[in-house]
Amino acid sequence: MRSSTLLQTGLVAVLPFAAQAASGSGKSTRYWDCCKPSCSWSGKASVNRPVLACDANNNPLTDAGVKSGCDGGSAYTCANNSPWAVNDQLAYGFAATKLSGGTESSWCCACYALTFTSGPVAGKTMVVQSTSTGGDLGSNHFDINMPGGGVGLFDGCKRQFGGLPGAQYGGISSRSQCDSFPAALKAGCQWRFDWFQNADNPDFTFKQVQCPSELTSRTGCKRNDDSQFPAFTPPSGGGSSPSTPTNPPSGGGGGGGGSGCAADKYAQCGGTGWSGCTNCPSGSTCQAINDYYHQCV
């Protein structure tokens, strides 16, 4: 739904309000258009580096000037910009944003704690980092990145993957449709129907916070004023991370979890409370994303 920014801008000066924590009530939508994030261009904000973009095979690009796949280029949203569950009450992810009283220079790479107030996720919290902005977004609007959420105005997925299932706006309608997605996007697609409970554009309250390292380690982007915002305090009583289905062991045998079976590449392979497969397929290893979520990468 967000705009695919195709032009680089000059270096933006930090505005006086940039370090003033934004807060309020907002609305959400969802999308995954595969386009290069607009905050991946140089000069958008005072940051250590722009948001990482990836090539069609999800390899990070070192050149921030590579043209977007939505404009005939070879830069796309990295698959690890998909959302994931930390525990039953907390998730991390990324979003395109547009907030009242600010500009792109104050939004790019900033992080916000969203506490949902409607739908099946009411009471849950999601911390997102802003990786894109868009002129088509409303005020205090967060367009959450989630594979299968619909491409919106721009469709880089056709060029990157030959297209993804689902309607242009809203995307797919059932979890089983995630099975046909590229392996790197399956877990993020399933997250929508698991942790997010297929919530349809829930409302929320939000406040700007320091970015958790789990988010900045994926985008590579951290604002120079990040330390001036309040640190995020995770909600208590979240429980364990929801289970993610994995493949049964190859070569027959039982389908139980643990060390006897292998998870798909990019699927969960460990973490606090995890009882599923802990091995990874050849060519990938199980890496700790956080205490609750380890992933085959």
Side-chain angles (χ1 to χ4, degrees):
M1 186 166 181
R2 54 106 171 141
S3 170
S4 172
T5 301
L6 309 179
L7 300 177
Q8 301 183 53
T9 63
L11 186 63
V12 180
V14 179
L15 299 178
F17 54 74
Q20 188 174 356
S23 63
S25 299
K27 67 175 183 177
S28 68
T29 47
R30 58 182 181 268
Y31 84 107
W32 186 274
D33 61 8
C34 299
C35 300
K36 176 181 179 177
S38 65
C39 296
S40 292
W41 296 103
S42 297
K44 289 301 185 78
S46 182
V47 296
N48 65 324
R49 58 149 298 134
V51 170
L52 285 169
C54 285
D55 65 18
N57 295 313
N58 282 307
N59 298 305
L61 298 170
T62 57
D63 182 3
V66 178
K67 203 173 184 180
S68 173
C70 287
D71 191 40
S74 57
Y76 301 91
T77 295
C78 296
N80 68 0
N81 284 193
S82 298
W84 75 97
V86 176
N87 56 48
D88 292 337
Q89 294 299 314
L90 175 64
Y92 286 148
F94 306 88
T97 58
K98 184 178 182 181
L99 307 183
S100 60
T103 65
E104 190 171 47
S105 66
S106 61
W107 305 328
C108 274
C109 297
C111 287
Y112 306 89
L114 316 181
T115 300
F116 295 105
T117 57
S118 68
V121 289
K124 290 189 174 188
T125 299
M126 182 178 188
V127 181
V128 298
Q129 184 176 34
S130 176
T131 53
S132 289
T133 61
D136 57 320
L137 302 180
S139 180
N140 290 351
H141 187 164
F142 287 72
D143 205 8
I144 301 173
N145 287 22
M146 57 181 86
V151 295
L153 283 178
F154 302 93
D155 185 1
C157 302
K158 187 172 294 185
R159 182 177 176 88
Q160 184 178 10
F161 299 115
L164 293 177
Q168 179 180 2
Y169 294 98
I172 61 174
S173 57
S174 68
R175 192 181 191 280
S176 62
Q177 291 176 277
C178 297
D179 296 340
S180 63
F181 275 62
L185 299 181
K186 283 184 180 179
C189 179
Q190 292 166 343
W191 172 90
R192 171 182 161 192
F193 299 93
D194 297 338
W195 189 92
F196 201 58
Q197 298 178 258
N198 200 23
D200 189 21
N201 303 340
D203 296 327
F204 53 83
T205 58
F206 69 91
K207 61 179 179 180
Q208 191 167 356
V209 296
Q210 290 181 24
C211 284
S213 60
E214 292 89 343
L215 295 175
T216 58
S217 65
R218 295 192 178 203
T219 62
C221 186
K222 187 174 182 178
R223 293 185 61 86
N224 294 340
D225 61 2
D226 184 70
S227 63
Q228 299 181 40
F229 300 106
F232 171 68
T233 302
S236 59
S240 61
S241 178
S243 297
T244 300
T246 53
N247 283 342
S250 57
S259 60
C261 61
D264 289 332
K265 189 174 182 181
Y266 303 112
Q268 185 170 357
C269 56
T272 302
W274 177 248
S275 60
C277 301
T278 56
N279 292 328
C280 293
S282 177
S284 63
T285 58
C286 189
Q287 296 186 14
I289 305 301
N290 54 57
D291 290 344
Y292 292 92
Y293 192 84
H294 300 180
Q295 185 180 34
C296 288
V297 294

